[in-house]
Amino acid sequence: MAVKLWNGKPLSLKVIGTNAGTSMDGLDIAHIHYTQESPDAPLKMRLLRAGEVAFDGALKNRVMHLIRTNKTSPEEISMVNIQLGEFAANAIQQFAEEHNFNLQEEVDIIAGQGQTIWHLPLPHLFEGDQIRAHLDMAEISIIAAKTGITALSNFRVSDMALGRQGCPLFVAWDGLCATHPEKNVAVQNIGGIANITMLPKGDPRLGYDFDTGPGNVFIDGAVRYFTNGERQYDKDGLMGAAGKVDQEIVDEVLQQPYFVHEIPKTTGRETFGDNLSEELCQRMQAKGATPEDCIATITRITAKSLADGYKRWGPPGGIDEIYLGGGGSYNPNIINYLREQLPKTKIQFLDVIGVPCGSREAMSFSFKGLECIVGRSLIVPTHVESDKAGIIGHIQPGAGLQYHRLMKHVQDFWADWPLEKRMDPVLKMEIVKQDAGVANGK
């Protein structure tokens, strides 16, 4: 009997991915072209442009105050959600103008997470009658209406509904980008919160990820405290480098419940916010510490929690290579400590594999949006509470004709491909590298 051949058309979709991180520095934006010759062919990813639009200062202060005090109202929540959606839509339009391309002609999907307001994956670590919950805000109805392009979000809540923690949620992307046939690899992101994706050699389906704890969030909070908000972060690690680490404080903090908790585990500002950072600074100052000593100590908390994460939860044989992403990767006080603690591990920036250091999360959300629209599951990590697969994300259709063209393209791609195979995750992706000028939209 002759084998029935697939009669569909190749997939070709251009996606904008966005990420608003815990540090609230701005909105990271990546414009990516995905192609796939057939459902069983490798997915190809080509980065077209990447950049960042700075966060609106007044809105940032409002959101940070809301999170820090854990006090708000239905009125404020409803308004902030709309404001964040307007900021994201305006930022995407600004990005297109700055990089000289037409959104309606060059973008099929916009996918991002919005701003995390509250992340409660481990309710037993909190007082009171808590349940597992998560809230991101940046209304995608606003984004779709202002741009005319189909918008997606709420990937984390979708993952949480399947029985997991909704974060870090990068195993599928990191695994496709960085899994090595013969080396154990890790992708490390140091944003507001720091996380590690462990990628045992040979198969992206073996990957797992977790948050180690604070990344920049403690450090940034201390810098704001000592400069009365005039500086937002420790540029080049200069303040930390000028101080002396109080190892007693470091050891004490790293005995707190989150740090000793087994994986899977994720966290956020609810646990590691400015209040705790300032309390640590005040305690140290009472002992005679300088501002530089405080920042050196707080930086060491981030660095040692990362090193401990590799030593405690790394794959058998340890990690051969680490790829760095996130703003904290530029802090030499963190990276030099890691090099000392992991002397046999090669540490380099994600850029070497075609993923710009500051764009990894936005690029990952573009992939999540693509897979939601196409109707595929992501690779489910190991070391999680539930191995249930599912299509994650919420969809807000764009302008009517744009949305129908998008869905027609997806239907043409699948054609007569068996329904029972359509949700299978992508297991191979090729990164089509470009010169730096193209990637930066020049």
Side-chain angles (χ1 to χ4, degrees):
M1 179 183 293
V3 177
K4 184 178 180 181
L5 300 177
W6 168 74
N7 67 349
K9 297 178 181 179
L11 185 71
S12 176
L13 291 174
K14 292 180 179 178
V15 185
I16 276 186
T18 69
N19 181 66
T22 311
S23 294
M24 298 191 204
D25 300 320
L27 190 71
D28 296 322
I29 304 175
H31 186 203
I32 295 176
H33 188 193
Y34 290 99
T35 57
Q36 192 173 14
E37 289 300 313
S38 66
D40 57 354
L43 182 66
K44 294 184 179 180
M45 182 278 290
R46 182 162 65 99
L47 176 63
L48 303 175
R49 304 166 178 89
E52 180 186 26
V53 175
F55 212 130
D56 174 83
L59 181 56
K60 174 180 177 175
N61 291 337
R62 183 175 195 176
V63 174
M64 291 188 71
H65 180 265
L66 185 157
I67 296 171
R68 181 171 181 172
T69 62
N70 192 18
K71 293 179 180 179
T72 185
S73 65
E75 176 185 42
E76 183 175 36
I77 287 288
S78 63
M79 290 193 295
V80 168
N81 183 43
I82 298 299
Q83 289 178 311
L84 287 168
E86 290 176 339
F87 164 71
N90 292 339
I92 291 165
Q93 291 173 323
Q94 177 182 330
F95 176 80
E97 291 172 4
E98 291 176 350
H99 292 270
N100 196 30
F101 71 98
N102 186 290
L103 281 173
Q104 284 68 38
E105 295 176 0
E106 294 291 327
V107 180
D108 300 297
I109 306 165
I110 295 171
Q113 189 46 43
Q115 183 64 56
T116 295
I117 303 298
W118 207 251
H119 181 57
L120 192 61
L122 300 170
H124 57 277
L125 295 184
F126 291 78
E127 296 179 357
D129 186 17
Q130 306 280 6
I131 63 170
R132 181 170 288 182
H134 183 92
L135 177 64
D136 289 297
M137 294 200 301
E139 181 54 56
I140 57 173
S141 298
I142 300 294
I143 298 171
K146 294 194 74 168
T147 64
I149 298 166
T150 297
L152 296 90
S153 189
N154 275 343
F155 303 100
R156 298 198 188 283
V157 170
S158 295
D159 183 72
M160 192 172 277
L162 293 170
R164 295 181 285 274
Q165 295 186 24
C167 291
L169 205 58
F170 295 119
V171 162
W173 172 260
D174 291 339
L176 293 172
C177 291
T179 299
H180 193 279
E182 299 176 349
K183 298 178 181 178
N184 291 332
V185 174
V187 177
Q188 174 182 296
N189 185 73
I190 311 176
I193 298 298
N195 56 66
I196 299 173
T197 301
M198 302 287 191
L199 299 171
K201 58 188 175 184
D203 190 337
R205 291 170 292 188
L206 299 176
Y208 53 101
D209 58 357
F210 57 95
D211 290 338
T212 55
N216 302 321
V217 67
F218 265 11
I219 306 168
D220 295 350
V223 170
R224 282 192 292 269
Y225 175 69
F226 287 120
T227 66
N228 294 315
E230 293 182 8
R231 293 167 61 180
Q232 296 294 314
Y233 67 102
D234 184 14
K235 184 174 174 57
D236 299 324
L238 294 178
M239 290 185 72
K244 181 179 179 181
V245 172
D246 185 331
Q247 192 61 44
E248 183 179 342
I249 291 287
V250 174
D251 293 340
E252 176 190 322
V253 171
L254 292 179
Q255 287 303 308
Q256 291 181 3
Y258 183 81
F259 293 106
V260 299
H261 197 285
E262 277 293 333
I263 61 171
K265 60 177 180 176
T266 61
T267 190
R269 282 185 177 271
E270 309 73 30
T271 303
F272 299 110
D274 284 14
N275 290 344
L276 183 53
S277 176
E278 292 179 9
E279 288 172 10
L280 285 173
C281 292
Q282 291 163 3
R283 281 184 54 199
M284 293 174 65
Q285 284 184 296
K287 295 168 58 179
T290 67
E292 290 77 13
D293 295 338
C294 295
I295 290 172
T297 301
I298 286 172
T299 302
R300 180 60 56 84
I301 291 169
T302 289
K304 191 171 189 309
S305 65
L306 284 163
D308 290 349
Y310 287 110
K311 295 174 182 178
R312 185 172 180 185
W313 294 295
I319 289 292
D320 299 299
E321 294 185 4
I322 297 173
Y323 293 114
L324 301 173
S329 299
Y330 297 106
N331 188 325
N333 304 318
I334 298 174
I335 305 308
N336 290 341
Y337 181 81
L338 282 177
R339 294 187 194 281
E340 293 172 5
Q341 295 297 308
L342 305 169
K344 296 181 179 180
T345 301
K346 184 177 182 180
I347 301 176
Q348 54 193 332
F349 288 108
L350 271 167
D351 302 69
V352 300
I353 63 170
V355 177
C357 178
S359 301
R360 171 253 196 173
E361 291 173 296
M363 293 174 74
S364 172
F365 280 115
S366 80
F367 173 68
K368 295 175 181 68
L370 174 79
E371 296 306 273
C372 180
I373 284 290
V374 174
R376 291 186 289 221
S377 167
L378 302 180
I379 293 171
V380 177
T382 61
H383 299 73
V384 286
E385 301 95 328
S386 168
D387 62 1
K388 184 178 181 180
I391 303 166
I392 64 170
H394 294 178
I395 303 170
Q396 172 60 55
L401 187 57
Q402 187 273 341
Y403 177 70
H404 284 292
R405 284 174 175 164
L406 171 63
M407 299 315 295
K408 175 69 163 56
H409 184 76
V410 172
Q411 291 164 4
D412 289 344
F413 171 68
W414 284 121
D416 60 352
W417 194 258
L419 290 175
E420 63 273 14
K421 293 184 178 181
R422 294 190 185 188
M423 204 179 82
D424 293 349
V426 171
L427 297 179
K428 185 174 182 180
M429 184 174 74
E430 297 175 4
I431 300 175
V432 181
K433 294 185 180 181
Q434 305 239 45
D435 62 75
V438 174
N440 288 305
K442 298 178 182 176

